[in-house]
Amino acid sequence: MCKFISALALTLSLIIPASTLAMSCHCFTDREYDPGQPAAADPYFLATTENSFFAVVNGLKKKDVVLAKQTPSTTAENLWVAYWLAEKTGAQTKTLMKARFRNRSWATALAALKINHDKLPVQARIQLEADPDDLALATLIVDYILEEKNVIRVKELQLLRAAGANNKQTILASLLTLKTGQSASEYLRDVRTGQRSWGTHLLKANMAGNDMEHEIEQLLQNNPQEAQGLSRTE
């Protein structure tokens, strides 16, 4: 209960009073796999997998992540960045989110907070010095987390990104690979070419697409020890 209240307080205190903001809808009409329309629920499977993965790696509940994203001042990209930076720098997530809202980028937000990012991974420091947009920084962080949690091998992850996989697709393909041992880039190619949907892949992998939070918890618990000393993070 305390975790929920804390997460809710964080969300509602971001920058603008929640009462002044119209809540955006993150509802999905199709949430179950339908063999007659195998791709109909794919948007839901992609979204719930990202939300669930974010929740599990950050010690939250998926419902709190969904609630946070319903605040117009919050984006999926900035949630990834803020929670990761909070872990790496010791700053408060709420403080980081407020600073980002008040500044034009994460680079200027960190400068305004006078946060020293010398201890961040090399590539993250290079990115920040280049003053990247939110998506570029979030993409880098999602890749770091997938590598650190030993969800996917670096080379396979690079193939996914080279093929243009976005964060949702990358996370779902990586988790399918962790579950089955099959190639993540082949999962993406199957979906892109219309051979199979994400829902079909989840079904064949015996993964509950409507309970991804539990699926991911089990996958990470049963996963070998997290990768250490990855070249990208040295």
Side-chain angles (χ1 to χ4, degrees):
M1 184 64 177
C2 290
K3 286 185 177 179
F4 173 74
I5 293 173
S6 179
L8 179 62
L10 167 62
T11 302
L12 297 181
S13 62
L14 291 178
I15 320 305
I16 301 174
S19 60
T20 67
L21 298 172
M23 302 292 275
S24 60
C25 181
H26 286 250
C27 301
F28 293 90
T29 303
D30 298 294
R31 294 170 177 254
E32 300 284 347
Y33 177 76
D34 179 357
Q37 295 179 297
D42 278 2
Y44 170 72
F45 292 141
L46 289 163
T48 194
T49 300
E50 182 188 29
N51 290 340
S52 299
F53 185 66
F54 183 94
V56 171
V57 299
N58 288 293
L60 303 172
K61 291 296 183 183
K62 189 189 74 170
K63 62 183 179 181
D64 298 336
V65 179
V66 174
L67 180 63
K69 288 184 177 181
Q70 289 176 342
T71 305
S73 60
T74 302
T75 65
E77 291 76 24
N78 284 336
L79 281 175
W80 280 113
V81 178
Y83 272 81
W84 187 80
L85 286 174
E87 178 189 354
K88 299 298 182 184
T89 68
Q92 294 294 314
T93 306
K94 181 169 68 173
T95 301
L96 288 163
M97 291 292 284
K98 284 184 176 180
R100 173 61 189 90
F101 184 84
R102 292 168 178 163
N103 292 273
R104 64 178 178 79
S105 69
W106 278 106
T108 54
L110 292 181
L113 292 174
K114 298 181 179 179
I115 291 177
N116 188 334
H117 49 71
D118 288 348
K119 294 184 179 180
L120 294 179
V122 173
Q123 191 58 37
R125 297 202 303 270
I126 293 172
Q127 279 269 30
L128 283 167
E129 289 169 6
D131 202 9
D133 60 31
D134 296 342
L135 177 58
L137 192 53
T139 297
L140 179 69
I141 287 167
V142 168
D143 289 356
Y144 274 136
I145 294 171
L146 288 169
E147 292 173 22
E148 289 169 355
K149 298 296 181 184
N150 204 22
V151 175
I152 187 171
R153 294 181 182 276
V154 176
K155 288 184 179 179
E156 186 69 13
L157 178 56
Q158 290 170 341
L159 286 174
L160 275 176
R161 293 304 195 180
N166 61 29
N167 285 337
K168 289 183 175 68
Q169 293 166 339
T170 297
I171 292 168
L172 182 47
S174 298
L175 290 166
L176 281 165
T177 291
L178 181 59
K179 175 80 171 186
T180 68
Q182 297 180 26
S183 168
S185 54
E186 288 182 7
Y187 281 123
L188 179 67
R189 183 167 58 250
D190 281 354
V191 173
R192 291 260 180 93
T193 58
Q195 295 183 51
R196 290 186 177 89
S197 67
W198 289 114
T200 303
H201 283 311
L202 287 169
L203 182 67
K204 287 183 175 296
N206 196 28
M207 295 176 71
N210 57 359
D211 191 14
M212 288 302 290
E213 190 172 4
H214 177 71
E215 289 282 355
I216 294 168
E217 286 175 348
Q218 293 300 308
L219 276 173
L220 295 186
Q221 285 175 9
N222 296 330
N223 199 24
Q225 185 175 3
E226 293 176 12
Q228 299 293 327
L230 289 165
S231 60
R232 282 168 54 104
T233 58
E234 289 175 350

